[in-house]
Amino acid sequence: MVLRLALMIADGLAAIIVFALVSLVRFGDGDTAQVWGMTGVDTWVAAALFGIGWVLALWYVGLYRLRVRWRLLTEAKDIARATFLVLAVTLSTLFLVKQEEASRLFLAILFVVQPLVTLAGRTYLRYAFGALRRRGYNTRFMLVAGTGPLAQAFADRVEARPTLGIRVIGHLSVPDELEEAVSRPILGTIDEIQKVFHSRVVDEVAVCLPATAARFLEPISVLAADEGKTVRIPLDPIEDRSASVHQEEFDGFLVRSMVRDDQRVLGLVTKRLIDVVGASMGLVLASPVLLGTALAIRLREGSSILFRQTRVGLHGRTFTIYKFRTMVPDAESRLEEVLHLNQRNGIVFKAIDDPRVTLLGRTLRATSIDELPQLWNVLRGDMSLVGPRPPLVGEVAVYDVWHRRRLSMKPGITGLWQVEARHEPEFDRWVERDLAYIDRWSLMLDLKILARTVPAVVTRTGK
């Protein structure tokens, strides 16, 4: 999300600079302000409006969906679409404000140079990311549904392009499909796709089915999309070209791409920006509390100060979560001793009178100060300020199918169930609220949850 935001800012600044330079070239150093002054618009105001319009046009044609397009030619075509869109709006605006005498040469230069600058930037980005992906960075993992010729050919061609940064982890076999030897492991049947989602990191699903198994296309696509996976559907180029999803030709295939949250991309970019700014400010403002708490734990409880634990994040990726230690050092090895105190129904453990919690730890938990180190997780990108709480690896291993969808969004420090049902004993009710958050997500909802978190913690009500 930070990359998308940076790209938007870079595109906007580049458009402003191009606008100013073209004005300078067309009208001359001393005449630029005078020429634009005749229109009643300051040069830099006009440049800023052009920059904003250019970014909006790129967003409208989907050029900030960074993982959808595999070919530079596809991006070039969409940049051309954005160019014609901005040109049409510009000409219409000039007509409406009665500026029909605007310099045609200026517009011609502007609408030739600007798309070339944007295309050059995208070309450089592809080269840079391609170099990183060849070294194993920024890798995404693809599961292929199917083992037939289509599935094998598509997987081979994807892996033959290391600049895509996609690694095929294996195939799922399909009923009515002839069994053929494949060069990658068969991880199960398509009936076991949820099991594979549970046990492996999967970012993308390529649905490569024979005609005899076409009935599985929709359920697999819907299931994968519901869990936040990108769905790729390779077809023969002569087949139906409906425009319901993004599609492009790739190495002899017509690839349809279904990417969840495309329509919320600007909101998600802003969410990540809020996370970075909020976590940074939080760490700075809370630094006296962080330092004082660390010192108190060291003096009263000894080492270690921080508690580290492996948690499950977006799409099943694991990461290390940080908290202030609130229990005795050997707390995890003594879990069996206190299971009978569990006050939650389901797969999670929560005990108010847990004897493993230290005296200082009770205070830290009551005030949620023990959670403050997770601001570092937010800054790193493992977590968000708001989202479903990150589960333990052991909990995810026994999730029901419908629980799994809570992993389709980045986990958060606080969330909907923390402010609405902090003491709800039923784990399934927690998940229901997490899924309601995912389905209803908006920036306004995040802000409301953040605003309600402090009162919920102070009053310990969760309501």
Side-chain angles (χ1 to χ4, degrees), residues 343-345 348 350 417-418 420-433 461-463:
Q343 296 174 303
R344 298 292 184 263
N345 299 323
V348 296
K350 185 77 171 180
W417 74 259
Q418 284 96 327
E420 287 191 348
R422 195 175 181 87
H423 303 296
E424 168 63 58
E426 296 290 339
F427 173 70
D428 284 355
R429 303 291 83 76
W430 293 11
V431 178
E432 287 175 359
R433 285 176 171 83
T461 61
K463 277 288 185 180

Side-chain angles (χ1 to χ4, degrees), residues 286-326:
S287 56
V289 178
L290 292 167
L291 182 60
T293 302
L295 185 60
I297 294 174
R298 184 67 179 87
L299 293 176
R300 295 195 55 166
E301 310 294 343
S303 59
S304 62
I305 294 171
L306 290 177
F307 172 71
R308 300 172 177 83
Q309 191 175 53
T310 300
R311 295 292 181 97
V312 180
L314 183 66
H315 292 173
R317 284 174 168 79
T318 57
F319 67 96
T320 300
I321 195 173
Y322 299 95
K323 296 184 179 184
F324 280 123
R325 181 169 65 85
T326 59

Side-chain angles (χ1 to χ4, degrees), residues 158-361:
V158 167
E159 290 201 320
R161 300 284 188 93
T163 55
L164 293 177
I166 296 176
R167 195 175 86 194
V168 179
I169 63 173
H171 295 256
L172 297 177
S173 61
V174 180
D176 304 324
E177 187 174 45
L178 294 177
E179 289 291 334
E180 298 192 24
V182 292
S183 57
R184 286 162 291 269
I186 297 178
L187 304 179
T189 68
I190 59 170
D191 292 332
E192 298 172 304
I193 187 172
Q194 293 165 337
K195 179 181 177 181
V196 176
F197 284 168
H198 294 187
S199 60
R200 306 290 292 265
V201 174
V202 179
D203 298 295
E204 304 199 2
V205 177
V207 187
C208 307
L209 303 177
T212 55
R215 65 187 182 280
F216 296 110
L217 175 61
E218 182 176 357
I220 291 176
S221 300
V222 170
L223 175 64
D226 281 347
E227 292 213 12
K229 320 294 185 187
T230 296
V231 179
R232 311 281 189 184
I233 307 173
L235 303 165
D236 187 285
I238 65 173
E239 296 196 29
D240 177 42
R241 291 172 173 264
S242 63
S244 58
V245 291
H246 175 81
Q247 55 191 29
E248 67 175 324
E249 291 187 14
F250 168 75
D251 237 352
F253 295 102
L254 179 67
V255 181
R256 298 180 182 176
S257 298
M258 299 166 56
V259 183
R260 188 175 176 85
D261 291 329
D262 286 344
Q263 303 306 316
R264 305 192 292 184
V265 61
L266 288 178
L268 291 172
V269 168
T270 307
K271 177 181 174 70
R272 180 57 187 154
L273 178 62
I274 292 173
D275 284 342
V276 172
V277 174
S280 300
M281 292 181 59
L283 287 170
V284 172
L285 295 176
S287 56
V289 178
L290 292 167
L291 182 60
T293 302
L295 185 60
I297 294 174
R298 184 67 179 87
L299 293 176
R300 295 195 55 166
E301 310 294 343
S303 59
S304 62
I305 294 171
L306 290 177
F307 172 71
R308 300 172 177 83
Q309 191 175 53
T310 300
R311 295 292 181 97
V312 180
L314 183 66
H315 292 173
R317 284 174 168 79
T318 57
F319 67 96
T320 300
I321 195 173
Y322 299 95
K323 296 184 179 184
F324 280 123
R325 181 169 65 85
T326 59
M327 291 186 173
V328 294
D330 61 343
E332 291 194 282
S333 63
R334 293 173 52 188
L335 178 60
E336 293 289 337
E337 301 176 13
V338 296
L339 285 178
H340 65 284
L341 299 176
N342 190 14
Q343 296 174 303
R344 298 292 184 263
N345 299 323
I347 62 179
V348 296
F349 175 84
K350 185 77 171 180
I352 295 178
D353 297 320
D354 192 329
R356 300 172 300 163
V357 180
T358 64
L359 184 61
L360 177 59

Side-chain angles (χ1 to χ4, degrees), residues 374 378 383-390 409-415 418:
Q374 289 168 54
V378 174
M383 297 176 61
S384 175
L385 292 175
V386 182
R389 284 297 294 165
M409 200 160 195
K410 191 174 292 186
I413 295 179
T414 186
Q418 284 96 327

